[in-house]
Amino acid sequence: NAGVTQTPKFRILKIGQSMTLQCTQDMNHNYMYWYRQDPGMGLKLIYYSVGAGITDKGEVPNGYNVSRSTTEDFPLRLELAAPSQTSVYFCASRGTEETQYFGPGTRLLVL
Amino acid sequence: GENVEQHPSTLSVQEGDSAVIKCTYSDSASNYFPWYKQELGKGPQLIIDIRSNVGEKKDQRIAVTLNKTAKHFSLHITETQPEDSAVYFCAAPVSSYKLIFGSGTRLLVRP
């Protein structure tokens, strides 16, 4: 199993541009999550999903959108990039146990 | 809602010494407390967890203790090695499928 994979690894965006961060898991997990990690800070939940077709907001959803059309994929969309969205983004998934499995992260710089 | 505070934010120890990281939580209904380790440039990875029906759990050089009365739980690393250098996060549940993370502790083990 590859676990949780994320693409791209790194991206530079200009203010106002849009992009989609991809996340895929091959563990057949129902639960998936998007977090952002700012320097020296913990993980803040952006959006989460409890199954295909079901998504909900986390602590910091403003400026982001998600979709969950399949069990495997949970893309995160930034519509109008702002400098405040400069961060490292982690996708995670979990099955019936509580353990969350994290991807390697996407580092995003908005200039 | 649930809140998790983590201390210290940075910790420097000599190789072979012990390291202790402490977290406090606010929701007395919380019953699952994981610890994650994040190495440089990688996603967090679960290293140990504890449930509220036990007071201590060990896994080789790592142990976690839980004090439900005081609402705090701690990570203990004995005989520290340079490869233990990383950022450590505690977490507590805010629902049956969501976690809230502490702000992290950067551990440096000096050779």
Side-chain angles (χ1 to χ4, degrees):
Chain A
N1 286 351
V4 180
T5 56
Q6 292 183 238
T7 56
K9 285 188 171 59
F10 177 66
R11 181 79 182 268
I12 299 175
L13 279 184
K14 293 183 179 178
I15 294 172
Q17 286 186 322
S18 302
M19 77 165 292
T20 298
L21 284 68
Q22 301 291 346
C23 174
T24 300
Q25 53 92 9
D26 62 359
M27 297 174 281
N28 200 33
H29 285 168
N30 281 329
Y31 303 102
M32 295 190 74
Y33 310 84
W34 274 107
Y35 295 92
R36 61 176 287 172
Q37 183 179 33
D38 298 324
M41 303 293 286
L43 297 156
K44 299 293 185 185
L45 183 64
I46 305 171
Y47 270 95
Y48 66 98
S49 170
V50 300
I54 306 170
T55 63
D56 207 348
K57 297 177 180 178
E59 298 174 77
V60 289
N62 291 345
Y64 308 95
N65 275 301
V66 293
S67 59
R68 184 95 182 271
S69 56
T70 67
T71 299
E72 295 78 20
D73 301 307
F74 190 39
L76 178 71
R77 178 86 178 158
L78 281 71
E79 289 295 347
L80 293 169
S84 60
Q85 293 178 305
T86 292
S87 191
V88 181
Y89 292 84
F90 289 101
C91 179
S93 73
R94 61 156 276 193
T96 54
E97 297 181 358
E98 288 94 341
T99 303
Q100 291 190 17
Y101 296 87
F102 285 82
T106 293
R107 189 174 298 272
L108 177 65
L109 181 59
V110 182
L111 299 174
Chain B
E2 177 66 283
N3 186 44
V4 174
E5 292 190 3
Q6 182 172 347
H7 299 280
S9 57
T10 59
L11 181 59
S12 180
V13 299
Q14 195 72 37
E15 182 177 357
D17 288 349
S18 296
V20 180
I21 304 169
K22 183 175 176 178
C23 286
T24 59
Y25 61 97
S26 57
D27 187 351
S28 56
S30 294
N31 59 1
Y32 169 72
F33 305 94
W35 284 93
Y36 285 79
K37 176 183 181 181
Q38 185 180 26
E39 296 177 343
L40 194 61
K42 297 184 178 180
Q45 185 173 18
L46 179 76
I47 54 171
I48 196 167
D49 57 21
I50 191 168
R51 298 183 187 283
S52 59
N53 58 347
V54 299
E56 183 177 9
K57 183 177 178 181
K58 277 188 175 181
D59 183 3
Q60 299 182 348
R61 295 185 298 107
I62 293 172
V64 56
T65 58
L66 172 64
N67 184 326
K68 289 175 62 179
T69 302
K71 295 185 188 174
H72 67 73
F73 56 111
S74 300
L75 178 70
H76 305 254
I77 306 174
T78 58
E79 300 172 24
T80 52
Q81 300 168 4
E83 53 264 38
D84 295 329
S85 295
V87 179
Y88 293 81
F89 292 99
C90 63
V94 293
S95 75
S96 58
Y97 44 80
K98 290 193 293 181
L99 295 173
I100 184 168
F101 287 84
S103 54
T105 295
R106 184 172 300 276
L107 174 64
L108 174 65
V109 180
R110 306 186 306 274

